[in-house]
């Protein structure tokens, strides 16, 4: 079982533990009421309800055992855990992904706490010193405990050098790049939708989300992305054999740097414990196998089987 640090916690919990749907009106359509009860019944017919029940069962098992073993996870620890993940994405992007997946901030917090409870149960009895943690943190040669610099760019293709120069002059005068893009983009490129792109920079390289250098960038484009200041455009860039001139506008630059030790301390401690064979990686599966789980609804009967609540081999346990 791999550690879940750094994994995106796309929460799938839909039902609220301990609450039953009411008949409260949520909407009225041509005089016909739609109630919470109707919405709940509708959702119970889809896969969302099963995922929610599965998550709540996992949570109940973990919380029960954590109380018995006095394993605690504070709100501060949850926030640090989530912040370490957010720092690996451009600003606000991870929260936007959560929102698109239907995960409210409260559910994200809940899933993160569940993950940390599992890890806390696995690490009971493990002895990892602050000195050994600090040593690994300081010797971070691969940048595991850093966040990349993020640069947000817009790109347009003008039909010639003259239009490219006019576009750059407009940007210097304070005209919004989206307006400049619409005015000076070459006719053959006007059908392309406008958008800004986030790119990561790590150790002087423009990288993807796996911190692997992007290939296929010309030296001129790479230089423009690396060196252009926020709020300005690089000099026009031509591509041999292709018409038009590219204008790269840098909207935002967010500095990279070392993550605070407190954000990554649990990750380092867990890694050391795993390496030293001090973790109880069967703790969670044993809890599930020994739990008394009774499923009342026929459509969810398979959740009474331990294997349905356990992680896939090599995967993360929480769904």
């Amino acid at each position: 079982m791999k550690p879940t640090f750094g994994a995106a916690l796309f929460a799938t919990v839909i039902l609220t533990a301990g609450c039953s749907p009411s008949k409260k009106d949520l909407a009225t359509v041509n005089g016909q009421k739609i109630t919470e009860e109707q919405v709940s019944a509708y959702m119970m017919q889809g896969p969302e309800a099963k995922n929610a029940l599965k998550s709540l069962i996992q949570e109940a098992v973990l919380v029960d055992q954590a109380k018995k073993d006095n394993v605690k996870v504070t709100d501060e620890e949850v926030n640090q855990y989530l912040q370490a993940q957010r720092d690996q994405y451009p600003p606000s992007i991870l929260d936007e992904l959560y929102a698109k997946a239907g995960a409210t901030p409260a559910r994200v917090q809940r899933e993160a706490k569940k993950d940390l409870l599992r890890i806390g149960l696995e690490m009971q009895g493990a002895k990892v010193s602050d000195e050994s943690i600090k040593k690994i943190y300081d010797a971070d040669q691969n940048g595991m405990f850093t966040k990349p610099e993020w640069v947000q760019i817009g790109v347009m293709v003008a039909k010639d050098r003259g239009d490219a120069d006019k576009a750059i002059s407009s940007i210097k005068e304070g005209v919004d790049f989206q307006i400049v893009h619409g005015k000076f983009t070459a006719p053959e490129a006007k059908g392309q939708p406008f958008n800004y792109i986030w790119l990561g920079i790590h150790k002087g390289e423009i990288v993807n989300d796996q911190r692997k250098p992007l290939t296929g960038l010309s030296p001129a484009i790479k230089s423009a992305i690396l060196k252009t200041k926020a709020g300005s455009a690089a000099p026009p860039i031509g591509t041999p054999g292709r018409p038009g001139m590219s204008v790269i506008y840098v909207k935002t630059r967010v500095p990279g740097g070392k993550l605070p030790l407190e954000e990554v301390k649990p990750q380092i401690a867990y890694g050391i414990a795993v390496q030293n064979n001090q973790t109880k990686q069967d703790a969670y599966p044993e809890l599930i196998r020994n739990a008394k789980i009774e499923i009342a609804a026929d459509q969810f009967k398979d959740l009474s089987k331990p294997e349905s609540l356990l992680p896939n081999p090599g995967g993360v346990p929480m769904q």
Side-chain angles (χ1 to χ4, degrees):
M1 180 168 56
K2 295 180 181 178
T4 60
F5 288 102
L9 297 173
F10 290 100
T12 56
V13 178
I14 296 176
L15 307 178
T16 304
C19 296
S20 58
S22 71
K23 294 185 179 180
K24 178 182 176 181
D25 294 342
L26 298 179
T28 304
V29 181
N30 295 330
Q32 183 178 345
K33 305 291 186 181
I34 298 176
T35 67
E36 284 185 356
E37 187 177 50
Q38 288 173 303
V39 171
S40 178
Y42 177 85
M43 297 181 77
M44 287 289 283
Q45 296 172 0
E48 301 95 341
K50 183 174 181 180
N51 288 334
L53 181 58
K54 178 178 179 179
S55 184
L56 290 172
I57 290 171
Q58 293 171 331
E59 181 181 71
V61 170
L62 285 166
V63 169
D64 179 63
Q65 190 63 38
K67 287 181 179 178
K68 293 176 182 177
D69 293 348
N70 198 31
V71 173
K72 297 179 181 179
V73 174
T74 67
D75 290 343
E76 183 180 7
E77 289 170 333
V78 171
N79 291 334
Q80 288 174 341
Y81 175 78
L82 289 171
Q83 187 58 48
Q85 296 180 45
R86 289 188 180 99
D87 284 339
Q88 302 307 312
Y89 290 81
S92 302
I93 292 297
L94 186 56
D95 289 319
E96 290 173 12
L97 292 173
Y98 286 143
K100 287 180 181 178
T104 64
R107 289 173 184 167
V108 172
Q109 292 279 122
R110 193 166 176 170
E111 290 294 311
K113 185 171 184 177
K114 192 172 68 174
D115 232 11
L116 290 174
L117 283 174
R118 178 189 60 78
I119 292 167
L121 290 169
E122 286 185 13
M123 288 194 64
Q124 285 187 99
K127 296 181 179 179
V128 180
S129 68
D130 287 344
E131 183 182 357
S132 62
I133 292 172
K134 185 70 163 53
K135 184 177 179 180
I136 289 179
Y137 176 79
D138 291 339
D140 181 26
Q141 297 180 349
N142 296 322
M144 184 181 298
F145 309 125
T146 63
K147 57 182 177 181
E149 175 187 358
W150 293 105
V151 56
Q152 188 181 33
I153 68 169
V155 181
M156 63 165 285
V157 178
K159 69 176 181 178
D160 53 32
R161 180 62 186 252
D163 275 3
D165 287 338
K166 291 177 184 177
I168 293 173
S169 294
S170 295
I171 292 169
K172 289 179 179 178
E173 292 168 4
V175 180
D176 186 90
F177 179 69
Q178 187 169 355
I179 296 174
V180 174
H181 185 280
K183 184 176 181 180
F184 292 105
T185 291
E188 58 269 24
K190 281 190 177 293
Q192 299 176 3
F194 172 83
N195 64 294
Y196 286 108
I197 304 167
W198 281 104
L199 295 171
I201 298 175
H202 181 61
K203 294 186 175 181
E205 294 289 342
I206 300 168
V207 297
N208 60 18
D209 57 1
Q210 300 297 317
R211 297 201 184 182
K212 302 295 184 183
L214 292 179
T215 58
L217 296 177
S218 71
I221 290 177
K222 180 178 176 180
S223 177
I225 294 171
L226 291 175
K227 297 179 180 179
T228 304
K229 294 181 179 180
S232 59
I237 300 170
T239 303
R242 293 184 183 179
M245 299 289 289
S246 296
V247 175
I248 294 177
Y249 170 71
V250 175
K251 182 181 182 183
T252 309
R253 301 195 85 99
V254 180
K258 194 91 167 178
L259 295 174
L261 176 59
E262 290 306 309
E263 276 187 25
V264 295
K265 190 174 181 179
Q267 175 183 357
I268 299 172
Y270 186 82
I272 293 173
V274 169
Q275 189 174 18
N276 294 339
N277 295 317
Q278 291 183 323
T279 55
K280 302 174 183 176
Q281 296 199 29
D282 288 333
Y284 175 74
E286 285 180 7
L287 289 179
I288 291 295
R289 293 189 187 100
N290 294 331
K292 295 178 180 179
I293 300 171
E294 298 178 3
I295 306 296
D298 288 341
Q299 70 200 84
F300 305 132
K301 282 293 185 182
D302 62 322
L303 290 180
S304 63
K305 301 174 183 178
E307 58 268 23
S308 68
L309 300 168
L310 293 175
N312 296 322
V316 296
M318 302 309 162
Q319 298 298 320

